[in-house]
Amino acid sequence: MKTSALERFLRYVTVDTRADEQATTCPSTPGQLVLLRQLADELRAIGIEDVVMDEYGYVMATVPAAAGLEAAPVIGFIAHVDTSPEMPGHDVRPIVHERYDGRDLVLPDDCTAVLRLSENPALASQFGNDIVTASGTTLLGADDKAGVAEIVAAAEYLMTHPEVRHGAVRIAFTPDEEVGRGADRFDVTRFGAVCAYTLDGGSRGELEFESFCADTINVTFKGFNTHPGYAKGRMINAIRLAADFIARLPRGEQSPETTEGLEGYLHPYQIHASVDRTTVTVLVRDFAVSRLKEKEAFVERIARDVVAAHPKASLEILVEESYRNMREAIEKHPRVLEHARAAIRRAGMEPTETPIRGGTDGSRLSFMGLPAPNLFAGEHNFHSRLEWVSAQDMDKAVEVIVRLCEIWAEPR
Ligand SMILES: [Zn+2]
């Protein structure tokens, strides 16, 4: 299936949409609004009539159902327009390396930026394809402008192919995913779909519906400060208590440095220290809430043990919930995954299902009442100067979207 995804993608990446964690506005940066407005215009240009951009920049629109399929379930597709704040995103110069043959791809603006087959095993399945990179000094922004381009291209395909049998299809483009706020102002009711698919994943065929359960624990040790010259028998140094606590956290196992796959971890992440009061922030991650809670109970136990040795010290523990494994919410709607697998197969691929060792907007949306697994968009080397995507993978993602729309409208 030949689509307009590449041509659109090459335009979208030139708009600087880097998110800003410090900003309190929504979107966090004005460049995101520029692209969101442009997308609203492009959706209108392909004939979609109900395009709306709300006060926070969220763009929503509907591809109307094919004749006679107005009662079919309404499904949705979502992508985010912002790019990671960790990397420069201005003056992105996309380069299409045609007919990849295993050669080193040297990015011209920085000769140390070289995309090598030996370091990127995913390139092995791209021979003959056209690989898009940036020029060496910026990220590319395939995360998630590849997903954005694929959704617009699929909408265009549906609008120009009346023979495709599909129900109404909702589209949303969102800001500030990279700073964890993309779901904050997403109006699930207004979106009005039974489920949605985010297009923000990696290799061809990927389907992701499992994410971490995540909490943050703030462990505060309260000591007692005096002039250190006259501290004998009186001072209780909260920094020493915190150090003792950190030393008791697992290291050889259950740490980010030693875990992968379905293993969770405890990650001492930040420390605010003084003799009087020291707070250690620990990130807790696991795929099951029960195991998350076990890890939290362990943290609490070692913190209490540390403080128990110092009668005048005290402890405060605060647990904040970040997000939950979306699998729990998605598996209540088995068709959402069944249809995704069927669509990937119908587009000629075998689905691969790997857990995300992190969270997505879909994790939050799934618990807000919109089951939202993640589909591949062809993105590789997220948040890096060596980010790349292939034109053929983008076309494949468009095909999966179109097949999904058909499958959801089939009588059953
Ligand atoms: Zn993304």
Side-chain angles (χ1 to χ4, degrees):
M1 185 186 280
K2 185 73 199 122
T3 79
S4 63
L6 175 64
E7 174 264 318
R8 293 180 187 280
F9 175 71
L10 295 176
R11 282 189 287 113
Y12 302 160
V13 297
T14 62
V15 184
D16 180 1
T17 58
R18 184 180 183 174
D20 177 1
E21 214 156 357
Q22 306 308 323
T24 53
T25 53
C26 181
S28 64
T29 49
Q32 296 183 58
L33 274 183
V34 172
L35 181 54
L36 286 159
R37 280 199 197 99
Q38 183 181 329
L39 291 169
D41 288 342
E42 291 192 20
L43 290 173
R44 289 185 192 106
I46 60 176
I48 296 181
E49 288 170 0
D50 71 344
V51 184
V52 175
M53 179 165 162
D54 72 14
E55 57 186 311
Y56 304 113
Y58 289 68
V59 170
M60 290 189 184
T62 315
V63 177
L69 289 170
E70 292 80 3
V74 178
I75 63 166
F77 295 91
I78 302 171
H80 66 91
V81 298
D82 60 308
T83 61
S84 169
E86 295 161 36
M87 287 292 292
H90 57 89
D91 300 320
V92 172
R93 207 155 66 79
I95 299 169
V96 182
H97 309 263
E98 287 180 358
R99 286 178 300 280
Y100 178 66
D101 57 3
R103 64 189 182 271
D104 286 355
L105 302 179
V106 182
L107 310 191
D109 291 346
D110 178 352
C111 58
T112 67
V114 183
L115 196 61
R116 292 187 181 89
L117 178 57
S118 56
E119 293 161 357
N120 295 272
L123 282 170
S125 59
Q126 298 290 344
F127 280 58
N129 290 350
D130 305 316
I131 308 288
V132 189
T133 65
S135 59
T137 52
T138 65
L139 48 59
L140 173 63
D143 173 11
D144 183 26
K145 288 165 184 166
V148 172
E150 288 153 9
I151 293 172
V152 181
E156 179 185 28
Y157 188 90
L158 294 174
M159 295 297 287
T160 51
H161 290 76
E163 74 281 7
V164 179
R165 308 287 296 151
H166 63 89
V169 178
R170 291 285 279 161
I171 290 169
F173 297 122
T174 60
D176 290 327
E177 191 265 359
E178 298 289 358
V179 289
R181 301 179 201 155
D184 286 4
R185 293 181 166 94
F186 192 102
D187 189 337
V188 169
T189 311
R190 190 159 69 83
F191 194 56
V194 297
C195 70
Y197 299 89
T198 54
L199 272 107
D200 196 11
S203 294
R204 224 179 300 157
E206 253 176 40
L207 167 64
E208 297 171 318
F209 55 92
E210 179 144 33
S211 60
F212 269 147
C213 299
D215 283 352
T216 302
I217 309 189
N218 288 302
V219 182
T220 301
F221 297 92
K222 295 178 195 164
F224 181 73
N225 193 24
T226 60
H227 188 293
Y230 307 92
K232 186 172 180 182
R234 298 184 65 212
M235 178 189 278
I236 298 169
N237 189 341
I239 295 175
R240 291 192 190 278
L241 300 184
D244 192 4
F245 164 74
I246 292 167
R248 294 183 193 207
L249 286 171
R251 231 173 248 233
E253 44 159 24
Q254 290 190 51
S255 63
E257 301 95 320
T258 59
T259 49
E260 60 185 353
L262 285 169
E263 301 166 321
Y265 57 71
L266 287 167
H267 178 34
Y269 170 66
Q270 265 179 1
I271 200 164
H272 288 100
S274 71
V275 171
D276 194 54
R277 189 186 170 93
T278 293
T279 300
V280 183
T281 304
V282 181
L283 304 185
V284 192
R285 300 288 186 264
D286 211 309
F287 285 95
V289 174
S290 59
R291 292 202 302 271
L292 191 77
K293 293 296 160 193
E294 281 168 25
K295 288 190 166 59
E296 290 169 10
F298 173 78
V299 168
E300 189 165 340
R301 205 161 58 238
I302 60 172
R304 292 205 182 286
D305 286 351
V306 166
V307 169
H310 304 271
K312 284 185 186 151
S314 63
L315 180 68
E316 200 177 271
I317 295 179
L318 192 72
V319 180
E320 287 167 42
E321 179 174 322
S322 304
Y323 53 86
R324 289 291 173 259
N325 187 343
M326 60 179 157
R327 178 180 195 150
E328 207 182 295
I330 292 173
E331 281 188 336
K332 291 184 188 142
H333 311 273
R335 284 193 302 171
V336 175
L337 296 177
E338 282 162 22
H339 292 352
R341 293 181 185 117
I344 291 169
R345 290 201 177 96
R346 223 178 259 190
M349 294 161 286
E350 205 31 54
T352 52
E353 301 174 8
T354 42
I356 311 172
R357 292 178 62 79
T360 68
D361 276 351
S363 322
R364 304 242 329 269
L365 291 172
S366 294
F367 286 95
M368 288 161 67
L370 182 68
N374 189 36
L375 288 171
F376 74 95
E379 304 160 20
H380 294 277
N381 296 341
F382 298 78
H383 307 184
S384 155
R385 289 186 302 154
L386 296 178
E387 204 187 354
W388 61 272
V389 64
S390 87
Q392 287 74 10
D393 283 5
M394 284 198 280
D395 285 345
K396 272 294 176 198
V398 175
E399 192 177 343
V400 169
I401 296 173
V402 172
R403 298 297 160 239
L404 254 172
C405 295
E406 281 175 348
I407 289 169
W408 272 97
E410 285 167 4
R412 55 179 56 81

